[in-house]
Amino acid sequence: MADRIHNFSAGPARLPAEVIDEARDGLLSLADTGIGILEHTHRGLPYRSVYEETVADVRDIGGISDDYEVLFLSGGASSQFHMVPMNFLDADSVADYVITGPWSKKALAEAKAVGRVHVAASTETTGFSTLPQAYNVSVNSAYLHYTSNDTICGTQFFDVPQVGEIQLVCDACSDLFSRTLDVSRFAVLYASAQKNLGPAGVTLVIVRRDLIERGRTDLPSMLQYRSHAQASSAFNTPPVFSIYVVGLMLKWIRRIGGLPALEERNRVKAETLYHCLDSSYLFSSPVEPQCRSMMNVIFSAGDKQLDSQFVSAAEKEGLIGLAGHRSAGGMRASIYNGMTLSGVQRLTEFINWFESSNAGEF
Ligand SMILES: *Cc1c(COP(=O)(O)O)cnc(C)c1O
């Protein structure tokens, strides 16, 4: 039964079976300590080595230099929506936001509660089916914030926005560590783990050290990157299990050949699915081809009833999590790192079957 299930959820999402196996062993005993990962103190050597190895692997696999701090924080990517402006937006500057979907709108709304914001570009009038061509940035811009992959609308940036010297802050929640990335282009990058990197409960935040040092000091400690950096992400009790599983995920990424190999796998999965949709007369993707996400594939039959028939018929075949976001409708197949090519092929076979079994109705 378990083998039949292919989980296309947008997050928490499918993880590689080997990673789950290793995590199960770690629950009973972390290495040969005889104590499980859930029960070790975060001040003890066994957990500290898990943490240190995980940070070292983030740096090594992501190609991240010592100019950056690698932090594991709680509160989800959603907490970064306010932490970024609280630390880096002062009374003399404006924060620029690129609006490409519901997540960037949320980030903007939170920043608005902190300081002055400006929309540098928005694709809302296109129904978020494309990405901006140009940016209108503020003269005294503190940073430009954008969402590299819109998990709900299914768009993805394949190039960094060209905005000159302005500091880039990126919500990479649904595509960090799914492909190669030149981290040196960014001031801040953040992603909660539950899409490509592990379980919910921890957010990976990569921040330039000089910015942390210049950041505001008149904030509660939990809201300053400085406190978390000084305490090696243990300013308060860290989500030890989530960090442990992120560590296992990173070792899995290394085993399969690192980010270049992972990117190639993810590209093949996405191409397989988009090719199926582009050859379909029933289903189509609303997203412009050059900005189609490799992570979240949005599609629809253009008919609410057919879409919901598709979702329930798919469920009966063990293809679950395919309903679009509650605000968007239609379908969404999330094909993060943990999804296999054979899972995607199962979905394309089902799409073809559904289409031919409905053929009489068109
Ligand atoms: C999931 C997601 C978030 C929110 O993450 P939480 O961990 O739930 O706070 C933010 N931005 C993007 C692009 C996402 O996909």
Side-chain angles (χ1 to χ4, degrees):
M1 181 67 188
D3 290 344
R4 277 185 62 239
I5 302 292
H6 293 289
N7 175 11
F8 292 91
S9 301
R14 180 173 179 161
L15 292 171
E18 300 121 270
V19 167
I20 301 292
D21 275 345
E22 289 166 356
R24 187 177 48 195
D25 294 344
L27 284 174
L28 294 172
S29 173
L30 179 61
D32 53 8
T33 59
I35 296 175
I37 177 66
L38 297 178
E39 302 154 296
H40 270 287
T41 166
H42 62 295
R43 304 287 177 207
L45 194 56
Y47 169 73
R48 294 312 296 169
S49 3
V50 166
Y51 159 79
E52 269 153 32
E53 232 177 277
T54 305
V55 171
D57 284 344
V58 168
R59 288 190 182 284
D60 178 42
I61 293 169
I64 301 167
S65 80
D66 276 344
D67 294 342
Y68 289 83
E69 199 67 60
V70 171
L71 302 174
F72 290 108
L73 305 184
S74 303
S78 300
S79 289
Q80 297 310 305
F81 293 169
H82 60 256
M83 272 185 83
V84 165
M86 286 179 115
N87 281 269
F88 306 131
L89 178 59
D90 61 26
D92 304 324
S93 55
V94 179
D96 286 305
Y97 279 76
V98 179
I99 305 301
T100 53
W103 286 118
S104 35
K105 285 174 87 168
K106 279 195 179 171
L108 173 71
E110 295 300 290
K112 229 181 231 172
V114 175
R116 278 195 295 156
V117 293
H118 169 248
V119 175
S122 170
T123 54
E124 188 151 21
T125 54
T126 72
F128 297 126
S129 62
T130 186
L131 291 174
Q133 302 295 320
Y135 304 91
N136 169 19
V137 290
S138 309
V139 182
N140 45 352
S141 181
Y143 58 81
L144 179 114
H145 178 283
Y146 77 106
T147 310
S148 52
N149 181 79
D150 190 283
T151 322
I152 296 172
C153 301
T155 53
Q156 188 173 23
F157 281 83
F158 295 101
D159 294 303
V160 167
Q162 298 298 317
V163 288
E165 297 294 291
I166 292 172
Q167 317 267 19
L168 287 177
V169 175
C170 181
D171 172 358
C173 201
S174 47
D175 69 355
L176 193 62
F177 279 82
S178 71
R179 56 174 174 173
T180 57
L181 188 68
D182 179 2
V183 169
S184 72
R185 304 282 296 274
F186 295 89
V188 184
L189 272 163
Y190 59 88
S192 30
Q194 71 270 19
K195 280 127 189 183
N196 278 299
L197 271 174
V202 70
T203 303
L204 172 60
V205 186
I206 301 165
V207 202
R208 256 193 17 234
R209 283 206 163 112
D210 61 315
L211 287 174
I212 295 182
E213 279 157 25
R214 292 203 319 252
R216 277 175 57 178
T217 51
D218 57 346
L219 297 170
S221 312
M222 274 297 281
L223 294 172
Q224 296 184 35
Y225 291 110
R226 185 180 289 105
S227 328
H228 298 286
Q230 283 166 358
S232 303
S233 296
F235 182 80
N236 69 316
T237 312
V240 293
F241 180 70
S242 299
I243 294 170
Y244 170 66
V245 180
V246 169
L248 298 178
M249 234 352 243
L250 290 164
K251 289 188 176 9
W252 177 84
I253 292 174
R254 180 177 287 121
R255 280 201 300 276
I256 67 161
L259 292 182
L262 184 59
E263 175 169 340
E264 187 49 29
R265 275 166 88 123
N266 287 333
R267 186 189 314 285
V268 171
K269 288 186 297 183
E271 280 173 2
T272 302
L273 189 44
Y274 284 117
H275 176 73
C276 166
L277 295 171
D278 286 342
S279 328
S280 162
Y281 65 85
L282 182 57
F283 298 108
S284 61
S285 153
V287 179
E288 282 198 6
Q290 75 279 8
C291 18
R292 287 176 177 175
S293 168
M294 299 206 305
M295 298 280 102
N296 309 95
V297 177
I298 310 294
F299 60 103
S300 159
D303 176 301
K304 269 193 183 152
Q305 213 177 337
L306 260 181
D307 284 350
S308 70
Q309 275 173 23
F310 176 87
V311 170
S312 30
E315 238 163 62
K316 289 195 188 102
E317 288 302 307
L319 301 163
I320 74 126
L322 285 166
H325 187 266
R326 56 193 186 281
S327 67
M331 275 77 77
R332 166 175 58 177
S334 298
I335 51 172
Y336 301 123
N337 289 345
M339 175 54 64
T340 57
L341 177 60
S342 67
V344 171
Q345 286 163 338
R346 251 320 273 128
L347 175 58
T348 59
E349 283 160 23
F350 181 75
I351 289 173
N352 293 334
W353 172 84
F354 186 87
E355 179 164 297
S356 55
S357 70
N358 278 276
E361 297 175 26
F362 300 95

